[in-house]
Amino acid sequence: MTIQTSDPGLGVAEPSPAAAAGPAVRTRRNRFAFLRNGKAITGLTILGIFLVLAVIGSWIAPYDPSAMSNDIMQAPSARHLLGTTQTGEDILSQLLVGTRGVMVVGFVTGFCATVISVLVGVSAGFLGGAADEVLSAFSNIFLVIPGLPLVIIITSFLPNAGDVVIAVVISLTAWAWGARVLRAQTLSLRRRDYIEAARATGESTWRIIVFEIIPNLTAIIASSFVGTVVFAVLTEITLSFIGVASISHWNWGTVLFWAQNNQALALNAWWWFVPAGLCIALLGTALSLINFAIDEFVNPRLRTGGRAGGRGRVRMRTGFTPVVRRTPVVRDPQKGDRV
């Protein structure tokens, strides 16, 4: 909408206040577009619940998770909402207390591995030359080291290792793949026009990396962080389930370890292992939904409501791979218009 000036001779059209405010409104909407995504809201809600339980779980647990009682192998009831074990331990208390260990290992590992992968991958891709050769060789060495066996060996020598120690050990082998991906993306960005312009204006190397390169790698960094958290959580649960980690420290894997050792499945004590499995599945689902939401937010084709050039739609098929479906264009033979 335009407003004509009072002088017809000038013929200059001035934009209305509503039209002038349009770009600003769209900018504000784009800032919060991620939070309007259904996958993001669902994933963040589930993840937020687990984070809250990790903080207050030990406070709201109705019983001591290691306390034995006379309520042996009781099904879920008003007294024990998720039933008890064969020694009378409350399973709900074990899950609530064990949430903290899972969250600590997952997010500490994700943070440490992401920081290392960004430092190594971006530096190798942008600096090039001898620095690229050394850093690439360094990441390749850690890329071929089997993560889970290494963690098992180290934790076997440290039987009383805490969550932070396990997280650091997992981080040592979880950063290499992310570093390789970031290096490849940085190589594609280092010769862009805005990077060359920053060099021409005398910007320092690290300022270019921090303010020009890394912001354009945000989606990949976020996706790498989410994937590392999932890997760390599953690794921690696996270590506890096979009895390598300390079985006296409660987490969801420890609950499954005791359920498997005491033949909960054979005894039809479904309440002993199903709730822990559901917690693992829900956490993995939440992190996956957040990852999909990040992909939709940074992908212009997915972010524009599924329009591809105004004539196509992007549909999520099996495997969550975006598939562009072209809408056939039919022209009216009499009017020549598209139908």
Side-chain angles (χ1 to χ4, degrees), residues 5-38:
T5 58
S6 58
D7 188 356
L10 295 177
V12 179
E14 298 180 354
S16 65
V25 173
R26 287 193 296 270
T27 301
R28 288 194 296 269
R29 289 178 178 176
N30 289 335
R31 290 176 182 174
F32 298 98
F34 178 77
L35 297 179
R36 294 198 304 269
N37 187 292

Side-chain angles (χ1 to χ4, degrees), residues 23-299:
V25 173
R26 287 193 296 270
T27 301
R28 288 194 296 269
R29 289 178 178 176
N30 289 335
R31 290 176 182 174
F32 298 98
F34 178 77
L35 297 179
R36 294 198 304 269
N37 187 292
K39 297 184 180 69
I41 294 174
T42 304
L44 290 174
T45 301
I46 299 174
L47 182 60
I49 293 173
F50 281 120
L51 290 176
V52 171
L53 293 179
V55 176
I56 67 174
S58 58
W59 302 340
I60 65 175
Y63 303 94
D64 183 347
S66 301
M68 301 180 185
S69 67
N70 294 325
D71 299 328
I72 298 174
M73 293 295 287
Q74 296 292 318
S77 62
R79 183 180 177 86
H80 300 280
L81 296 180
L82 293 180
T84 61
T85 67
Q86 68 173 11
T87 57
E89 297 170 338
D90 185 69
I91 296 176
L92 176 61
S93 300
Q94 294 177 354
L95 293 178
L96 290 175
V97 174
T99 303
R100 179 177 300 177
V102 175
M103 294 293 104
V104 168
V105 171
F107 282 91
V108 171
T109 301
F111 176 79
C112 295
T114 302
V115 170
I116 298 174
S117 64
V118 170
L119 290 176
V120 175
V122 176
S123 299
F126 187 80
L127 298 178
D132 184 18
E133 295 292 336
V134 173
L135 293 175
S136 296
F138 183 65
S139 61
N140 288 336
I141 293 173
F142 281 87
L143 191 64
V144 298
I145 295 177
L148 186 59
L150 177 63
V151 174
I152 292 175
I153 293 173
I154 294 178
T155 52
S156 63
F157 286 101
L158 300 172
N160 296 322
D163 295 330
V164 176
V165 175
I166 294 176
V168 172
V169 173
I170 299 175
S171 302
L172 294 177
T173 57
W175 63 268
W177 178 254
R180 296 291 296 175
V181 175
L182 289 173
R183 173 185 175 274
Q185 293 298 320
T186 304
L187 287 174
S188 68
L189 294 175
R190 59 182 295 189
R191 296 303 179 187
R192 299 290 177 88
D193 292 340
Y194 63 90
I195 301 297
E196 297 294 341
R199 285 199 186 97
T201 57
E203 295 287 349
S204 63
T205 300
W206 296 112
R207 184 175 179 84
I208 295 175
I209 292 176
V210 173
F211 294 99
E212 301 293 346
I213 298 293
I214 292 181
N216 288 281
L217 299 174
T218 302
I220 299 175
I221 295 173
S223 179
S224 176
F225 172 80
V226 172
T228 304
V229 172
V230 175
F231 171 75
V233 168
L234 294 179
T235 302
E236 162 73 357
I237 292 172
T238 301
L239 292 174
S240 300
F241 178 71
I242 63 180
V244 174
S246 176
I247 57 177
S248 61
H249 183 73
W250 288 107
N251 60 55
W252 300 340
T254 308
V255 176
L256 295 176
F257 169 80
W258 288 113
Q260 189 269 341
N261 272 15
N262 293 283
Q263 299 181 351
L265 182 61
L267 297 174
N268 200 26
W270 58 267
W271 58 86
W272 200 345
F273 56 87
V274 169
L278 286 177
C279 289
I280 299 171
L282 283 175
L283 180 59
T285 300
L287 294 173
S288 298
L289 289 175
I290 294 173
N291 199 5
F292 297 151
I294 293 173
D295 185 37
E296 292 183 1
F297 178 72
V298 300
N299 191 325

